[in-house]
């Protein structure tokens, strides 16, 4: 089992920045593939960014150049730095862990990000 706890969400004005954190427990963090997803009002959950155990990153086109995913294996934490936020970034942001070898997925409870115009 992997437990994930997100933090760092909140209300920010358009153009502002937020850093989300997700702390994992219950498994060796360094082997986990981690990701951030979001679900806006009335929308399906979508990928924001992922980072592999080796540190390779992938981003949705909608956030490229504005968001950076990173991980600190010593702190069992993955981060999402979000800059130049837009109202359309408003969503609940979820942390996801994929545990090898079978890629079993675990989700956090989510953290709300609201961007005002």
């Amino acid at each position: 089992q992997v437990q994930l706890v997100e933090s760092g969400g909140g209300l920010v004005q358009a153009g502002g920045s937020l850093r989300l954190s997700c702390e994992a427990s219950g498994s060796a963090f360094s082997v986990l593939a981690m990701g951030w997803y979001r679900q806006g009002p009335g929308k399906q959950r979508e990928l924001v960014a992922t980072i592999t155990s080796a540190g390779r990153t992938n981003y949705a086109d909608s956030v490229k150049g504005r968001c950076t995913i990173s991980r600190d294996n010593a702190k069992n934490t993955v981060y999402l730095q979000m800059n130049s936020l837009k109202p359309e970034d408003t969503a609940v942001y979820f942390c996801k862990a994929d545990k090898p070898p079978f890629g079993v997925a675990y989700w956090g409870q989510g953290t709300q990000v609201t961007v005002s115009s």
Side-chain angles (χ1 to χ4, degrees), residues 36-115:
W36 286 97
Y37 292 72
R38 67 186 181 187
Q39 188 165 12
K43 298 181 180 180
Q44 290 190 332
R45 193 171 297 188
E46 63 178 5
L47 179 147
V48 178
T50 61
I51 185 166
T52 69
S53 58
R56 290 188 298 272
T57 59
N58 179 57
Y59 297 92
D61 288 342
S62 59
V63 304
K64 278 181 182 176
R66 299 190 298 120
C67 293
T68 302
I69 188 171
S70 61
R71 64 191 297 158
D72 186 337
N73 289 342
K75 295 183 178 180
N76 294 345
T77 300
V78 63
Y79 304 97
L80 184 68
Q81 177 68 44
M82 302 188 294
N83 301 322
S84 302
L85 283 162
K86 306 175 182 180
E88 51 264 44
D89 294 317
T90 294
V92 178
Y93 284 69
F94 297 90
C95 177
K96 181 189 176 193
D98 291 308
K99 185 175 181 181
F102 303 114
V104 176
Y106 299 88
W107 292 89
Q109 81 288 350
T111 185
Q112 176 70 48
V113 171
T114 302
V115 184

Side-chain angles (χ1 to χ4, degrees), residues 9-29:
L11 174 64
V12 63
Q13 288 188 330
S17 298
L18 281 175
R19 188 177 81 155
L20 306 182
S21 301
C22 172
E23 184 173 1
S25 60
S27 178
F29 181 75

